[in-house]
Amino acid sequence: MFSRLPMFQRKGEAAYRPGLEAMEELDGYLKHPHCSFRSIHVGGTNGKGSTSHMIASVLQTAGHRVGLYTSPHLLSFRERIKIDGRMIPREEVSSFISEHKSFFEQKQFSFFEMTVGMAFSYFRKEEVDFAVIEVGMGGRLDATNIIRPILSVITNIGLDHSQFLGTTRPQIAKEKAGIIKENTPLVIGEEDPEIKSLFEKNATQKNAPIFYAKEVLDHHFSTDLKGFYQKENMKTAVLALKNSRIKGLTEAVIQKGLSSVIGNTKIMGRWQKISEKPQVILDVGHNEEGLKMISEQLKSTPYNQLHLVMGFVKGRKIKPLLSCFSNISKFYLSAPQLERALSVEEIKEQLKNTNKEILFFDTVETAFKSAMRATLEGDLILVCGSTFVVAEVLALKNSNKENF
């Protein structure tokens, strides 16, 4: 059934269907499962996945039964739908599809719409206390935007998915602001003068109290998620939790939850070290803002030579992404195995006349293995540029094809 439905993760633009009409129809057919639990809605360009996991971890620590809906997945579709860090069971997925298959086929729902319906139905069935819901793309027209959350969160605004959301930051911010709800507190992770007035206008119109993460005195909070960029995500998560009106979220509970994000939620791909010798780090950073933050992290990471294994999806401008890293870095570029991948030929075309040391490979696996062979003691391999490149290297590690 999944293979016959359009999936943005795999196909890209051909699978993108903006608008809430179909999702509202599906929600009505499923008898509005999202009304059975309290939810927190998390959008933004970068960091919304990490922020969602942090919030979920703290709520778990406080003793609540917590649903977590995120996308895309790395190794298994079931990663998208979790309760207290445990993926939705295979039999729940198959039974949901079997029960509603004819309706899905008749209405031709998108993969994402169907998955959102599955998540909400599973959370209702399992009687979660709270669900942390990550926006898929944008906000205003995203399928998750049927919910009526107790809190809305927007981490930051960057130029990503511009073919769908707009080519300027204010245009993209307008789409993200679509998750602001009537009389519902709004937490903004990044106070940006260029778009602050837009958010405040939307919040005022909807009588939504607005809070900025700069207000958080976070010197006494820490998290087990590594990466400098997690400090900003942590501040956003802390402010969200403190304004959620949920009882029992003391600073001690918040700190304990922030210190146990990996164990509680099983998050992967965020400055994730999978090997010491050679040192191999994976990060799902994929746009210019994200890669610049990774580059800052590298300045405090000891290594001799940096080997970057990267691939990209269509729509990416590659030169600005590579320019985030030092000219003495070695690049191993390929294309992940999906339809919306940017082909090696397209990458080569974009990188004409570059002065960087670049090798091209037919597959991510061969690119990664080449980097492994080239490393000397003290070198660092960083895998980034696309969630799907990270996913392939994780799969390679788990298959024991590579000697880590």
Side-chain angles (χ1 to χ4, degrees), residues 61-100:
T61 301
H64 299 292
R65 187 164 173 78
V66 184
L68 177 61
Y69 177 76
T70 59
S71 62
H73 59 268
L74 285 169
L75 298 176
S76 167
F77 162 80
R78 297 186 299 125
E79 294 168 27
R80 294 172 179 243
I81 305 170
K82 295 178 181 177
I83 295 177
D84 292 346
R86 292 185 291 276
M87 295 187 295
I88 183 173
R90 290 181 176 84
E91 56 270 22
E92 289 286 347
V93 176
S94 58
S95 63
F96 181 82
I97 294 297
S98 297
E99 182 179 353
H100 306 297

Side-chain angles (χ1 to χ4, degrees), residues 281-295:
I281 294 174
L282 314 181
D283 199 288
V284 294
H286 56 273
N287 53 35
E288 193 169 352
E289 290 88 354
L291 294 183
K292 282 180 178 178
M293 287 187 281
I294 290 172
S295 182

Side-chain angles (χ1 to χ4, degrees), residues 14-116:
Y16 178 59
R17 179 166 69 182
L20 296 178
E21 294 83 3
M23 190 63 227
E24 287 170 344
E25 182 179 8
L26 176 56
D27 182 56
Y29 164 79
L30 295 171
K31 297 183 173 56
H32 312 292
H34 67 92
C35 295
S36 66
F37 50 81
R38 289 174 287 177
S39 58
I40 294 175
H41 207 188
V42 184
T45 299
N46 291 307
K48 60 183 184 289
S50 294
T51 302
S52 296
H53 283 78
M54 289 181 188
I55 293 171
S57 178
V58 172
L59 294 178
Q60 284 175 234
T61 301
H64 299 292
R65 187 164 173 78
V66 184
L68 177 61
Y69 177 76
T70 59
S71 62
H73 59 268
L74 285 169
L75 298 176
S76 167
F77 162 80
R78 297 186 299 125
E79 294 168 27
R80 294 172 179 243
I81 305 170
K82 295 178 181 177
I83 295 177
D84 292 346
R86 292 185 291 276
M87 295 187 295
I88 183 173
R90 290 181 176 84
E91 56 270 22
E92 289 286 347
V93 176
S94 58
S95 63
F96 181 82
I97 294 297
S98 297
E99 182 179 353
H100 306 297
K101 181 179 178 181
S102 60
F103 185 71
F104 292 154
E105 291 179 330
Q106 174 192 348
K107 298 294 183 177
Q108 290 295 295
F109 294 111
S110 73
F111 175 89
F112 192 78
E113 289 162 347
M114 184 192 64
T115 306
V116 169

Side-chain angles (χ1 to χ4, degrees), residues 33 36 89 94 131 149 194 243 259 277 291 296 331-332 349 359 386:
S36 66
S94 58
E194 185 180 7
N243 286 282
S259 298
K277 292 185 178 180
L291 294 183
E296 282 298 309
F331 294 88
Y332 304 73
E349 181 65 26
L359 297 172
S386 165

Side-chain angles (χ1 to χ4, degrees), residues 272-332:
Q272 180 182 358
K273 185 177 289 189
I274 62 171
S275 173
E276 287 287 353
K277 292 185 178 180
Q279 189 176 190
V280 179
I281 294 174
L282 314 181
D283 199 288
V284 294
H286 56 273
N287 53 35
E288 193 169 352
E289 290 88 354
L291 294 183
K292 282 180 178 178
M293 287 187 281
I294 290 172
S295 182
E296 282 298 309
Q297 179 81 31
L298 287 169
K299 292 177 182 178
S300 297
T301 304
Y303 61 86
N304 294 330
Q305 175 68 55
L306 178 62
H307 305 261
L308 285 145
V309 178
M310 303 179 73
F312 315 92
V313 295
K314 291 177 180 176
R316 297 288 179 212
K317 294 181 180 179
I318 308 306
K319 282 187 177 180
L321 300 184
L322 300 195
S323 67
C324 294
F325 302 99
S326 164
N327 282 332
I328 61 172
S329 304
K330 295 182 179 180
F331 294 88
Y332 304 73

